[in-house]
Amino acid sequence: MMMMITQNPSFFNPFRLALSQICTELGCFSTYIAVIIAITFGLVFIIAFALYGYIQRKPRNSKTIMEKFKGQPRLPKFAVPRRYDIRLKPDLDACKFAGSVAIDLDIVDDTKYIVLNAAELSVDTDSVMFTNRDVSEVFEPLQIDLVQDDEILVLEFAETLPIGHGVLSIGFDGTLNDKMKGFYRSTYEHNGEKKNMAVTQFEPVDARRCFPCWDEPACKATFKITLDLPSELVALSNMPVVEEKVDGHLKTVSYQESPIMSTYLVAVVVGLFDYVEDHTSDGVRVRVYCQVGKANQGKFALSVAVRTLELYKGYFAMPYSLPKLDMVAIPDFAFGAMENYGLVTYRETALLYDDQHSAAANKQRVVTVVAHELAHQWFGNLVTMEWWTHLWLNEGFATWVSYLASDSLFPEWKVWTQFLDEPTEGLKLDGLAESHPIEVEVNHAGEITEIFDAISYKKGASVIRMLQSYLGAECFQRSLAAYIKKYAGSNAKTQDLWAALEEGSGEPVNKLMNSWTKQKGYPVVSVKFKDQNLVFEQSQFLSSGSHGYGQWIVPITFCCGSYDVRKNFLLQKKSETLDIKEFLSDKRDAASAWIKINVDQTGFYRVKYDEDLVAKLRYAIENKYLSPTDRFGILDDSFALCMARQQSLSSLLTLMGAYRGEPEYTVLSNLINISYKVATIVADAAPELLDYVKQFFISLFQSSAKMLGWEPKKGEGHLDAMLRGEILNALAVFGHDLTLNEANRRFLAFLGDRNTPLLPPDIRKAAYVAVMQKVSTSNRLGYESLLRVYRETDLSQEKTRILSSLASCPDPNIILEVLNFLLSSEVRTQDVVFGLVVSREGRETAWNWLKVNWEHISEVWGSGYLLTRFVSTIVSPFASFEKAKEIEEFFATRTKPSIARTLKQSIERVHINANWVQSIQNEEHLVQTLKELAQRE
């Protein structure tokens, strides 16, 4: 109140003058009259003054003022942050933290309000003030409102703030939560004692849970960070330490001020760690931090990181921009990894590699994840998306370029063939009516998490690869380097990238790519051969079989009978006819030549061939005339068309038969994944045919299994090791007795000696699945033995291998035990999702379990993307319209923004499965086809 009086002396003037005038005119009237008049004026004054104060202190009296800040996707632009000075004091025992922040601001518009983000913080209202540096004036807010639904902090001041430079100071307290977001706690053991570490995970919108800030990617600023903590702990942040002061059991650590960056890239990690260290050729210090005693497991990732930084320096034509790079393995981590500038955090499974107990697949994952996160140091951190609509710019590009790096470091892994797994997943999700465009509108912070999906990552990577293939690798790289140079230290939109590539190539990139990023879905290109012409038609592909209305500019590539005879063109209309007489020589005429569209699967679309073209391609597959990437593409497109009821299951199974003896890892891996889905859908549609299906698939995979054997061969490659595990896993799932018996024999040897060569890491998952196939309520030994292995190992990769095997058991009672075990304290919150993939026999058990435990699950996992995994994994496998209705009814009153899209997608998948079941039930020649294929050697 005193501040208001001091700042508004003119408020009293009318009352003072009026009282003086009346007293003069009254003259010698009695004192009695004078007192009455004085009292009256006093009451009027008090009422007016109170009303004035009420108006000043109650902004909600004008609802339009406060309401305009609510429900908005973006913060108002009154103020622009330039620099943060942050001080944090984590208490790892009490799981709390105290902090203060001084934010340098530019007030750029007339306002009585400062609006910024804050969530789950207790703000010290007495500490909040704004100091205008131009006039050296201090402003204290009249009112402070924390709007929880919108996660904003609204500061209202008595008068309009001066335009210019100032500092906003705020003190606050918070909780080190267990939700794996914001400033949170992770647990680990040291010398047999359970301890906490403090970790940050701010992407997408959780910096606001650590300190009040402008938590939007476009609001870039510099950051000066200081930490107060126990002296024995290691404290890491984005930048190197500039000063460390020890005072008894406490120390204060100050870090260099960061370059300009977004809030979601700020990072702090506090705990006990070992590390290994190396340097790049230009002096960048690189370290891998991990739990004490695990330093050796960080050496492989360290080597990969140093080599990758060197590679990207050349590819982007710009050196890494910070003086150091730290990579830290975190025991509890929701995502796979996070690209914080200069301090990249990882799940242990994505960073650590153990020569004795990690599989080849684990090794490859370390490489691709490290390469992905380090790509972000340029593409995301240095040049940042302007808003979450452009998330795909970060994630799609980093996914694509991680393969570029992996291929350069390990060419023998043939990762560009393995890249096909990315478009496959993207095509699956984008074939749903409930998909979304790559450039998706984001209207609330709660919606952002759901777009960290296969569209942003995998479709994004796929259209980047498609464009690079169209423009040429050299032109693409040159234009990309120019883009990064132009936008370094600032923000960019999708159109900015297209403009750079268009300028560098002279091609109509913007026009071409808008059809792929601004609308959801993709085309299926139907092709038929007629009178030495190829007739192309495009229409939107939907897995439901429904008709879509999209239209694309499609980069078509095709070969006729040989990879030496190829043609490229843009399909810009609904249909187009192409004369191909020039491609058909006397020896390669229309009667014998195979024709492959979308050569090497560089385009993000599906192809549907007429029956004659399919027959020729099947012959080419059997005789290995086609490249592995094209063999992969033909199979994947056929499977998708079958699911959409545009092709019979008999036709798909006949095509799958052509892959007998397939040698290539990526092709065979996809064949296995398709076989799992086909077996499940046949069991739903015609259970009496399931034995024939299993027999066919066992015969399909046996020759590859015999060739690989159970044990590594001298000189065999990385891909052989990965394939062995997948083949044996498939044979176990389909009930191959010899595989089941041998797996159980080797598992018993492993129980007696964890270092036995009889069960190397690459086949452990297959052995665990085989063990669980024989487990039942009356035969629990295998299950209990696996739990013992789980409890005794401290290797995260081994724990996730076991978790992902347990629910493959066909006994629903055991599955219920497994699901309840997932919710126990023995399983880290981040790892529960690995155990949710249940056998077909356990689907109903899993659904009932989800319903019973939904309130608990929603509470524990409800604030992050992991909750969507519960929904999609348990709901999607069903295949009846009745179940879809039941699911809709259950979630009708239980949905929330963070799962809304995933729920719709999952229910749509149930409908797709149900329609597929009906079409299989009506298929005439399926029984005959299956019997013939099952008997074929």
Side-chain angles (χ1 to χ4, degrees):
M1 293 293 286
M2 289 300 294
M3 181 179 68
M4 288 172 54
I5 293 171
T6 303
Q7 290 181 346
N8 294 277
S10 60
F11 177 83
F12 296 97
N13 292 342
F15 298 99
R16 188 181 296 122
L17 290 171
L19 187 58
S20 174
Q21 183 178 353
I22 290 174
C23 289
T24 301
E25 292 178 356
L26 284 172
C28 58
F29 274 5
S30 69
T31 303
Y32 177 75
I33 298 298
V35 170
I36 290 175
I37 293 173
I39 291 172
T40 301
F41 269 94
L43 289 172
V44 171
F45 168 75
I46 290 169
I47 292 169
F49 183 72
L51 181 61
Y52 176 81
Y54 178 80
I55 292 170
Q56 291 294 311
R57 295 185 61 84
K58 293 292 288 182
R60 284 196 181 85
N61 192 43
S62 175
K63 288 187 177 180
T64 56
I65 295 176
M66 276 303 296
E67 292 300 322
K68 71 180 180 181
F69 299 136
K70 294 182 178 181
Q72 300 300 310
R74 307 284 289 264
L75 293 170
K77 307 300 183 185
F78 307 139
V80 179
R82 300 299 182 193
R83 179 182 184 272
Y84 292 79
D85 193 334
I86 303 166
R87 186 160 190 155
L88 297 171
K89 185 178 182 180
D91 184 335
L92 299 185
D93 294 324
C95 296
K96 296 183 180 296
F97 65 92
S100 63
V101 62
I103 311 172
D104 287 24
L105 298 177
D106 287 338
I107 303 297
V108 296
D109 203 353
D110 289 340
T111 180
K112 290 184 178 182
Y113 298 88
I114 294 179
V115 184
L116 65 164
N117 293 116
E120 298 172 10
L121 295 174
S122 176
V123 173
D124 177 5
T125 55
D126 292 335
S127 73
V128 181
M129 64 182 66
F130 177 75
T131 305
N132 181 274
R133 286 187 171 173
D134 296 332
V135 296
S136 299
E137 189 172 359
V138 176
F139 298 84
E140 295 180 4
L142 287 173
Q143 184 158 324
I144 300 172
D145 282 312
L146 184 59
V147 184
Q148 293 182 0
D149 289 346
D150 295 305
E151 299 179 346
I152 57 174
L153 182 66
V154 181
L155 311 178
E156 183 203 355
F157 296 86
E159 58 189 285
T160 300
L161 299 175
I163 289 176
H165 183 60
V167 178
L168 176 64
S169 301
I170 304 174
F172 53 89
D173 297 288
T175 299
L176 292 172
N177 68 73
D178 60 355
K179 306 296 185 184
M180 295 181 289
K181 68 176 188 176
F183 201 15
Y184 72 93
R185 64 183 182 269
S186 176
T187 61
Y188 62 104
E189 281 195 8
H190 179 65
N191 294 332
E193 182 183 354
K194 188 174 180 180
K195 290 184 174 292
N196 292 325
M197 66 173 69
V199 185
T200 56
Q201 169 59 45
F202 290 163
E203 189 180 28
V205 288
D206 293 311
R208 63 191 67 177
R209 285 172 170 76
C210 182
F211 58 96
C213 57
W214 275 255
D215 201 11
E216 296 182 1
C219 297
K220 284 190 164 186
T222 62
F223 294 83
K224 180 75 175 71
I225 295 176
T226 304
L227 300 177
D228 297 307
L229 67 151
S231 56
E232 73 275 11
L233 298 181
V234 175
L236 305 171
S237 189
N238 305 83
M239 301 299 290
V241 174
V242 290
E243 186 178 40
E244 186 171 310
K245 293 180 180 179
V246 179
D247 183 10
H249 296 297
L250 296 175
K251 65 180 177 182
T252 299
V253 184
S254 300
Y255 300 88
Q256 284 182 25
E257 188 164 330
S258 76
I260 188 170
M261 64 182 186
S262 303
T263 50
Y264 77 88
L265 296 169
V266 176
V268 168
V269 176
V270 177
L272 288 174
F273 298 99
D274 280 344
Y275 69 85
V276 288
E277 178 180 304
D278 200 355
H279 292 80
T280 64
S281 61
D282 52 354
V284 176
R285 190 200 76 199
V286 183
R287 287 179 177 174
V288 174
Y289 286 85
C290 51
Q291 290 185 52
V292 174
K294 294 186 176 183
N296 283 337
Q297 295 178 29
K299 289 182 177 178
F300 178 66
L302 179 66
S303 169
V304 170
V306 170
R307 295 163 66 191
T308 302
L309 286 179
E310 302 274 11
L311 176 72
Y312 288 158
K313 174 186 174 182
Y315 189 79
F316 298 128
M318 183 174 290
Y320 174 67
S321 54
L322 300 186
K324 65 93 174 174
L325 171 69
D326 293 330
M327 305 195 300
V328 192
I330 306 298
D332 299 283
F333 200 79
F335 293 91
M338 176 59 209
E339 67 268 20
N340 313 301
Y341 219 168
L343 178 58
V344 185
T345 46
Y346 297 80
R347 277 191 182 214
E348 289 190 334
T349 53
L351 187 66
L352 304 184
Y353 176 77
D354 183 288
D355 287 326
Q356 189 171 2
H357 296 289
S358 295
N362 299 134
K363 187 175 190 178
Q364 183 169 308
R365 175 159 169 75
V366 169
V367 174
T368 55
V369 175
V370 168
H372 179 109
E373 303 309 324
L374 298 197
H376 278 310
Q377 305 302 305
W378 284 263
F379 216 96
N381 299 6
L382 187 63
V383 180
T384 311
M385 60 192 170
E386 193 276 336
W387 179 240
W388 298 104
T389 292
H390 310 282
L391 171 70
W392 85 277
L393 277 177
N394 279 14
E395 302 303 348
F397 182 84
T399 300
W400 173 80
V401 85
S402 71
Y403 282 84
L404 187 82
S406 301
D407 184 60
S408 177
L409 297 180
F410 300 96
E412 69 277 12
W413 291 1
K414 302 179 183 177
V415 296
W416 280 120
T417 302
Q418 295 186 63
F419 177 85
L420 296 179
D421 291 336
E422 306 290 345
T424 292
E425 291 304 310
L427 289 163
K428 282 180 184 176
L429 181 53
D430 211 24
L432 300 178
E434 292 292 344
S435 180
H436 63 82
I438 284 180
E439 293 184 74
V440 60
E441 286 299 317
V442 175
N443 297 309
H444 194 276
E447 301 172 4
I448 298 170
T449 301
E450 279 203 301
I451 64 171
F452 282 79
D453 63 5
I455 302 299
S456 297
Y457 284 74
K458 299 175 185 295
K459 182 181 180 180
S462 301
V463 299
I464 287 287
R465 178 173 179 253
M466 179 170 68
L467 182 59
Q468 188 235 20
S469 177
Y470 176 73
L471 298 180
E474 190 176 319
C475 171
F476 185 84
Q477 179 183 357
R478 186 176 61 251
S479 303
L480 193 64
Y483 165 82
I484 289 176
K485 182 179 180 180
K486 180 176 181 179
Y487 291 98
S490 60
N491 299 81
K493 299 180 180 180
T494 299
Q495 301 307 311
D496 298 322
L497 177 60
W498 296 159
L501 291 168
E502 191 163 303
E503 183 178 347
S505 66
E507 295 285 342
V509 175
N510 191 61
K511 179 183 177 183
L512 168 65
M513 296 309 294
N514 279 347
S515 70
W516 296 95
T517 65
K518 290 186 178 298
Q519 65 177 333
K520 66 182 178 182
Y522 57 87
V524 54
V525 177
S526 299
V527 186
K528 58 185 176 183
F529 186 80
K530 184 177 181 181
D531 300 329
Q532 295 190 319
N533 291 317
L534 281 180
V535 181
F536 296 87
E537 291 185 6
Q538 65 158 302
S539 59
Q540 183 175 352
F541 179 84
L542 289 167
S543 296
S544 64
S546 301
H547 179 70
Y549 299 96
Q551 185 171 334
W552 290 261
I553 300 176
V554 189
I556 299 288
T557 56
F558 67 91
C559 289
C560 294
S562 164
Y563 285 101
D564 296 328
V565 182
R566 65 171 66 199
K567 171 80 173 175
N568 304 338
F569 73 97
L570 290 178
L571 176 63
Q572 302 191 55
K573 302 175 183 177
K574 282 284 187 181
S575 62
E576 193 163 335
T577 300
L578 198 68
D579 187 333
I580 61 167
K581 285 195 292 287
E582 61 178 297
F583 300 110
L584 302 173
S585 66
D586 294 338
K587 294 182 180 180
R588 196 179 294 111
D589 60 17
S592 61
W594 52 266
I595 295 174
K596 172 63 176 68
I597 312 299
N598 195 11
V599 179
D600 288 329
Q601 297 302 113
T602 56
F604 191 78
Y605 56 91
R606 298 205 180 277
V607 181
K608 180 181 180 181
Y609 301 91
D610 67 22
E611 289 186 11
D612 288 341
L613 292 176
V614 168
K616 291 169 187 173
L617 285 170
R618 190 164 58 241
Y619 177 81
I621 291 166
E622 290 173 336
N623 290 277
K624 306 296 187 288
Y625 293 156
L626 299 176
S627 69
T629 51
D630 284 331
R631 296 201 300 274
F632 181 106
I634 291 165
L635 174 64
D636 202 59
D637 287 348
S638 181
F639 170 61
L641 289 164
C642 180
M643 182 184 288
R645 296 167 290 130
Q646 296 185 33
Q647 178 182 310
S648 69
L649 180 58
S650 296
S651 176
L652 172 63
L653 291 170
T654 302
L655 176 65
M656 292 174 76
Y659 289 82
R660 197 179 302 272
E662 170 61 50
E664 192 71 28
Y665 164 74
T666 308
V667 182
L668 199 45
S669 178
N670 195 35
L671 188 69
I672 290 168
N673 290 332
I674 289 171
S675 72
Y676 292 148
K677 181 66 177 178
V678 168
T680 300
I681 209 72
V682 168
D684 283 324
E688 69 278 7
L689 299 179
L690 185 57
D691 285 343
Y692 291 113
V693 169
K694 289 182 176 180
Q695 190 179 336
F696 166 51
F697 289 144
I698 287 171
S699 71
L700 196 58
F701 302 135
Q702 263 187 300
S703 60
S704 297
K706 288 176 181 176
M707 178 185 69
L708 290 166
W710 279 84
E711 294 173 3
K713 296 178 175 61
K714 187 176 180 180
E716 77 173 13
H718 168 83
L719 295 174
D720 289 330
M722 293 208 299
L723 183 55
R724 179 180 292 108
E726 292 202 30
I727 286 282
L728 292 174
N729 192 88
L731 290 174
V733 168
F734 292 127
H736 184 236
D737 287 334
L738 291 177
T739 300
L740 293 173
N741 293 336
E742 182 64 13
N744 276 272
R745 182 183 78 82
R746 290 171 179 265
F747 179 66
L748 287 174
F750 176 69
L751 289 177
D753 176 12
R754 299 300 160 79
N755 296 315
T756 178
L758 287 175
L759 201 64
D762 294 304
I763 62 170
R764 284 184 198 166
K765 167 75 182 298
Y768 300 161
V769 168
V771 166
M772 290 305 300
Q773 300 310 298
K774 294 194 172 186
V775 167
S776 66
T777 309
S778 58
N779 179 21
R780 301 171 51 86
L781 182 60
Y783 172 54
E784 289 168 354
S785 297
L786 269 174
L787 287 182
R788 189 168 82 244
V789 176
Y790 178 89
R791 287 164 178 149
E792 291 174 359
T793 185
D794 68 345
L795 188 70
S796 298
Q797 291 162 349
E798 183 72 2
K799 285 184 180 292
T800 56
R801 267 197 291 268
I802 294 168
L803 289 176
S804 62
S805 306
L806 293 175
S808 64
C809 177
D811 188 323
N813 294 321
I814 297 295
I815 287 174
L816 182 58
E817 282 194 49
V818 171
L819 293 170
N820 288 332
F821 173 70
L822 294 177
L823 298 183
S824 74
S825 60
E826 293 189 67
V827 180
R828 290 186 183 272
T829 306
Q830 64 174 17
D831 292 335
V832 170
V833 292
F834 291 108
L836 297 177
V837 181
V838 304
S839 64
R840 179 182 173 275
E841 296 85 350
R843 287 186 312 198
E844 193 66 35
T845 299
W847 168 237
N848 289 329
W849 171 84
L850 183 70
K851 289 189 290 184
V852 168
N853 292 283
W854 179 252
E855 297 306 320
H856 171 72
I857 291 168
S858 185
E859 170 65 24
V860 175
W861 287 272
S863 57
Y865 94 103
L866 288 175
L867 184 64
T868 65
R869 297 278 294 276
F870 281 85
V871 175
S872 61
T873 306
I874 292 176
V875 168
S876 297
F878 284 109
S880 76
F881 300 113
E882 295 77 16
K883 185 59 65 176
K885 184 178 180 182
E886 180 187 333
I887 292 163
E888 282 185 278
E889 289 173 352
F890 174 78
F891 281 109
T893 58
R894 295 174 175 88
T895 191
K896 54 176 67 179
S898 61
I899 66 164
R901 192 190 300 272
T902 299
L903 180 61
K904 290 178 181 178
Q905 291 168 348
S906 300
I907 292 172
E908 183 181 352
R909 287 189 174 103
V910 177
H911 281 279
I912 290 167
N913 292 338
N915 282 318
W916 195 14
V917 162
Q918 287 187 350
S919 71
I920 290 171
Q921 290 171 336
N922 296 324
E923 195 168 322
E924 293 182 1
H925 305 294
L926 181 59
V927 176
Q928 181 182 343
T929 301
L930 270 172
K931 287 181 178 179
E932 291 176 359
L933 289 170
Q935 293 169 3
R936 192 178 301 171
E937 290 296 329

